[in-house]
Amino acid sequence: MAGFRLLPRLNAENRFFWTSGSDGRLRFLRCEACETFVHPPRPICPNCQSEAVSPATVPGTGVVDTYTINHQKWQPVLEVPYVIARVAIDGAPGVYLTTNIIDCSVEAVEIGDAVKVAFEQHDDVWLPLFEKA
Ligand SMILES: [Zn+2]
């Protein structure tokens, strides 16, 4: 997996998310008015239009909702195959994160697997990847 990293462009709205791993904790925006989690980050709650959205810490665990195994070497530095998964985030109803499952063989990943976040730092970005819990 080393080298396969297209890093996100940080801005005022998403910086907290991509740097949250600096203290090892996973955070998502949550509306202070109606408690809806808002992801990807944006300044207004899509449920009640409140602007009172702020980062909230979640446990850092989740469940593999669905996944695919990528065998295509999109870039020369890519190490294939690897798992692209959609993880349902514990403690943040309705939030699904598209990420990679790391540190296990691609055959070991199944829908319903419990996973936990494993941040991978690249400069000022901490990518929230997941490993089997
Ligand atoms: Zn709201």
Side-chain angles (χ1 to χ4, degrees):
M1 192 64 81
F4 167 52
R5 286 308 164 218
L6 295 174
L7 297 177
R9 191 175 299 269
L10 302 189
N11 60 39
E13 287 174 15
N14 70 23
R15 181 174 305 276
F16 85 91
F17 179 74
W18 294 114
T19 61
S20 190
S22 63
D23 66 0
R25 303 175 79 183
L26 185 62
R27 295 173 177 85
F28 293 93
L29 284 185
R30 183 176 60 194
C31 174
E32 295 170 14
C34 73
E35 301 190 342
T36 295
F37 278 86
V38 182
H39 191 77
R42 55 186 134 166
I44 296 176
C45 173
N47 184 52
C48 75
Q49 283 69 55
S50 169
E51 295 180 15
V53 292
S54 62
T57 301
V58 296
T61 57
V63 175
V64 174
D65 179 63
T66 189
Y67 72 95
T68 187
I69 298 173
N70 179 71
H71 294 276
Q72 178 68 41
K73 202 170 178 69
W74 299 105
Q75 303 172 53
V77 296
L78 275 178
E79 292 177 18
V80 293
Y82 60 88
V83 174
I84 301 169
R86 193 171 88 134
V87 171
I89 301 297
D90 289 344
V95 172
Y96 296 86
L97 197 61
T98 300
T99 181
N100 300 124
I101 307 300
I102 59 170
D103 290 342
C104 68
S105 71
V106 296
E107 293 84 8
V109 177
E110 301 283 354
I111 290 172
D113 280 352
V115 290
K116 60 184 178 184
V117 71
F119 290 103
E120 187 176 280
Q121 184 185 3
H122 297 265
D123 299 325
D124 57 349
V125 169
W126 281 260
L127 295 172
L129 309 179
F130 283 76
E131 59 189 16
K132 294 187 71 160

